[in-house]
Amino acid sequence: MNRVELLKQVSFGEQVAEDEVNELADYFVETNQWDRIVAGKIDIVRGEKGGGKSAIYALLMSKADDFFDKSILLVPAEATRGQTVFKDLAADPPTSETEFVTLWKLYIVTLVAQQLREFDVKHDRINEIYDPLEEAGLLEKQLNLRSLLRAAQDLARRIVKAEAFQGELTIDPNTGAHTYGGKIVLREPSKDQKLKGYITVDHLIEVVDAVLAGNRLNVWILLDRLDVAFQDNHQLEENALRALIRAYGDIRAHPQISLKIFLREDIWKRIGATGMREASHITKYVVLDWNQSTLLNLVVRRILKNDVLVKEFGLDKEQILKDASLQEELFYRFFPQQVEQGPQKSPTFKWLVSRCADGTKRTAPRELIHLLRSILDEEIKQLERGRPAPDGDQLFDRSVFKAALPVVSDARLHTYLYAEYPNEKDYVAKLEGQRTEQTPESLAELWGMSRSAAATKAARLVELGIFEERGTREQTSYWVPFLYRDALKMVQGRAEADEEEN
């Protein structure tokens, strides 16, 4: 087949998991971490942006029927696409942590109750759940997450302010039967209040757990996209997530209900930086980590998803995926051995991984996939301009690799860093055109501040992966990773404080 026509049919997939839900089962690398998540041994999945959290979430939801066969109901607490349900909280956020915790609990218990009703679950205590939630306006015939969140927030606010949401005992005019009109309160009600039908949110959760246990059911509430929901307001984000972790800690005592929280590592570190007692009790978590072998396996899976390549080159997909050495062999069948030639230069895959790594030395699949897509686009452009195709089965000429980097670098800088950390934008922007290695002295001069203030700001940028800290405590320097260099048009070398700017 003509090389250009062949490449136009090739795809490395989408960068964002939500855009390729149907293909994830073919792409996904089932690691020990995945096995632990599926087994229910993990509640909190942490990872870098683009590190695979949403892929795991999407893959779990795609296997909902398999989980149902094991008596586990998977319940998404967020819209999988479009504007997030929690975005509305920014306009009128809860005013206290107690209100936020109550909001989370009401929202979660209603989601579970909605599932119980949808599957027509039977139990002699089921109306202890339905009646108070219906009276409070939370349980509706048709689930609408946005509407539910608004109702839960309104009720949480009233509970906290008044310590009781007043309801009344009513009589069904048709049957004459008394209907339970539970009054949802913040604190444990007295004996007299209990007789009048008062109930706490925590008691509701206990009843839900008992009903699930009686039916040998488990419910997993999946919470993803929390980074998108609150990205415009870091203080609200911290408040929301602290409250969620508190709610998680309380709900964890009820084994039939599990919260599965997908959270970005930088956000986790930020909310923990000012202290979070509940964090020390969290043991069922995993931090997603990628190394060269797992990233190579991911890339090979995406290569083998292209039927045109499998057919054109006679590839045995099953055999290749069983053998790590065959995976490496396949990669170098299509890619050059080195991008930069020389005995001291890295092989191509290591070069790709290093160019997509941030200052923490971690490479997220999203950037690697983006770079491969850009390499593919650049190769097609060069072939269309008349450049000869590489020899043999090699699909990509080494000349396209560096040409593809600026696209990835620019996306990382603008759609991640500047968009999510606007307070750091002015400091990072001043690095444009500067040397790739900075010192506290050179940064102090560049930013117009004292050396100690510059070192403090640099430490913040180290946390965000803009800098990699090197040297010793006495002679510290800050190295900008390749991932950001092209977008900032930086010059290789070490900056000096007295260096004259051109």
Side-chain angles (χ1 to χ4, degrees):
M1 185 184 297
N2 175 280
R3 183 56 59 84
V4 173
E5 294 305 314
L6 175 69
L7 290 177
K8 284 183 176 179
Q9 296 180 53
V10 171
S11 171
F12 288 110
E14 301 297 328
Q15 297 157 233
V16 182
E18 292 90 337
D19 295 336
E20 54 177 5
V21 173
N22 295 331
E23 290 78 22
L24 276 175
D26 294 321
Y27 292 156
F28 194 75
V29 182
E30 294 193 2
T31 62
N32 177 57
Q33 293 175 332
W34 164 256
D35 293 337
R36 291 168 64 203
I37 292 167
V38 171
K41 296 178 180 179
I42 299 297
D43 288 340
I44 298 180
V45 179
R46 290 157 40 194
E48 304 297 330
K49 183 179 177 69
K53 301 180 304 302
S54 292
I56 292 174
Y57 173 93
L59 194 58
L60 282 172
M61 290 308 304
S62 73
K63 295 179 179 292
D65 290 343
D66 297 337
F67 280 91
F68 183 75
D69 291 341
K70 295 185 289 185
S71 298
I72 299 173
L73 305 180
L74 300 188
V75 183
E78 171 62 288
T80 55
R81 304 187 68 139
Q83 190 178 57
T84 77
V85 172
F86 304 111
K87 197 78 173 178
D88 292 344
L89 289 178
D92 184 25
T95 56
S96 69
E97 187 169 341
T98 299
E99 184 181 326
F100 231 140
V101 172
T102 305
L103 164 59
W104 280 121
K105 289 181 179 180
L106 286 169
Y107 185 66
I108 290 163
V109 77
T110 307
L111 282 174
V112 180
Q114 202 71 53
Q115 289 293 304
L116 294 176
R117 191 164 68 175
E118 182 177 332
F119 288 98
D120 195 24
V121 172
K122 306 295 185 183
H123 196 277
D124 57 5
R125 300 186 68 185
I126 199 73
N127 285 335
E128 289 184 47
I129 303 168
Y130 293 161
D131 290 343
L133 292 177
E134 285 177 345
E135 183 176 327
L138 292 177
L139 204 58
E140 299 178 346
K141 291 182 179 180
Q142 186 68 37
L143 176 64
N144 181 301
L145 292 177
R146 197 178 302 278
S147 174
L148 169 57
L149 184 68
R150 281 197 297 267
Q153 182 180 6
D154 182 54
L155 179 56
R157 183 162 293 171
R158 280 183 281 170
I159 288 174
V160 172
K161 283 184 177 179
E163 294 193 5
F165 176 64
Q166 299 298 324
E168 296 178 358
L169 188 69
T170 59
I171 299 176
D172 189 309
N174 298 315
T175 66
H178 289 76
T179 302
Y180 179 76
K183 300 166 183 173
I184 303 176
V185 296
L186 187 62
R187 297 184 179 89
E188 185 65 24
S190 64
K191 276 187 178 182
D192 186 53
Q193 287 176 318
K194 286 180 180 179
L195 290 173
K196 293 179 180 178
Y198 284 76
I199 189 172
T200 65
V201 183
D202 290 332
H203 182 67
L204 268 175
I205 295 172
E206 287 178 15
V207 177
V208 167
D209 188 68
V211 169
L212 289 168
N215 285 272
R216 297 183 180 180
L217 286 172
N218 290 84
V219 173
W220 291 7
I221 303 292
L222 277 58
L223 294 116
D224 189 28
R225 303 182 71 206
L226 296 171
D227 56 326
V228 178
F230 307 110
Q231 67 180 22
D232 297 329
N233 188 331
H234 284 180
Q235 186 58 56
L236 174 60
E237 180 178 68
E238 290 185 22
N239 294 342
L241 295 177
R242 284 176 187 278
L244 177 59
I245 296 302
R246 272 192 58 189
Y248 162 81
D250 292 341
I251 293 172
R252 185 178 55 179
H254 307 288
Q256 309 305 122
I257 309 168
S258 296
L259 301 192
K260 305 298 180 182
I261 304 169
F262 297 79
L263 192 60
R264 268 207 348 235
E265 184 68 358
D266 59 317
I267 295 175
W268 175 260
K269 288 178 179 177
R270 188 168 68 244
I271 63 175
T274 54
M276 184 168 58
R277 294 187 305 274
E278 293 81 3
S280 62
H281 302 295
I282 296 174
T283 57
K284 296 177 67 174
Y285 74 92
V286 67
V287 180
L288 300 180
D289 193 23
W290 293 84
N291 54 39
Q292 282 198 60
S293 61
T294 52
L295 288 169
L296 178 61
N297 183 268
L298 176 68
V299 170
V300 168
R301 286 176 179 274
R302 289 176 177 255
I303 290 173
L304 293 174
K305 188 69 171 63
N306 291 277
D307 291 337
V308 65
L309 294 180
V310 172
K311 182 178 179 180
E312 182 76 9
F313 296 98
L315 305 178
D316 187 334
K317 294 170 63 172
E318 187 175 342
Q319 195 62 33
I320 290 169
L321 290 175
K322 287 180 180 178
D323 191 329
S325 62
L326 291 179
Q327 293 170 33
E328 185 173 5
E329 183 181 305
L330 175 66
F331 178 83
Y332 285 107
R333 182 175 178 180
F334 295 145
F335 290 80
Q337 288 294 319
Q338 290 182 305
V339 174
E340 299 170 335
Q341 293 179 289
Q344 303 301 316
K345 300 298 183 180
S346 300
T348 295
F349 194 74
K350 185 176 181 180
W351 187 95
L352 291 171
V353 171
S354 68
R355 265 54 184 181
C356 293
D358 67 4
T360 66
K361 297 185 179 180
R362 296 190 184 97
T363 297
R366 181 177 298 182
E367 269 70 49
L368 182 59
I369 294 164
H370 192 184
L371 180 54
L372 290 171
R373 285 162 55 97
S374 298
I375 287 169
L376 176 62
D377 291 343
E378 189 63 32
E379 179 68 26
I380 292 172
K381 288 177 188 176
Q382 290 198 19
L383 290 176
E384 288 179 332
R385 289 197 295 263
R387 197 213 72 209
D391 295 333
D393 293 345
Q394 186 177 317
L395 298 179
F396 305 101
D397 187 82
R398 62 172 51 91
S399 64
V400 303
F401 288 74
K402 289 186 177 181
L405 277 173
V407 176
V408 181
S409 181
D410 188 76
R412 177 73 178 195
L413 181 68
H414 290 91
T415 63
Y416 166 59
L417 183 67
Y418 286 171
E420 299 191 21
Y421 295 95
N423 291 339
E424 314 302 338
K425 181 177 179 179
D426 289 344
Y427 298 98
V428 177
K430 287 183 179 179
L431 293 170
E432 186 167 342
Q434 301 297 317
R435 299 285 183 177
T436 54
E437 186 175 6
Q438 297 288 322
T439 64
E441 291 77 17
S442 67
L443 291 174
E445 185 174 296
L446 183 66
W447 291 335
M449 58 176 61
S450 68
R451 184 189 185 282
S452 61
T456 299
K457 177 55 65 177
R460 172 63 175 149
L461 298 185
V462 168
E463 291 176 6
L464 297 179
I466 312 305
F467 284 150
E468 177 188 334
E469 189 172 354
R470 293 183 169 183
T472 63
R473 185 175 181 180
E474 291 73 25
Q475 291 187 321
T476 303
S477 66
Y478 302 97
W479 186 81
V480 179
F482 291 105
L483 184 57
Y484 290 106
R485 291 185 183 185
D486 283 296
L488 291 170
K489 301 178 178 62
M490 300 192 78
V491 181
Q492 181 73 26
R494 182 183 174 93
E496 300 297 338
D498 59 354
E499 181 183 344
E500 293 184 3
E501 294 192 17
N502 295 325

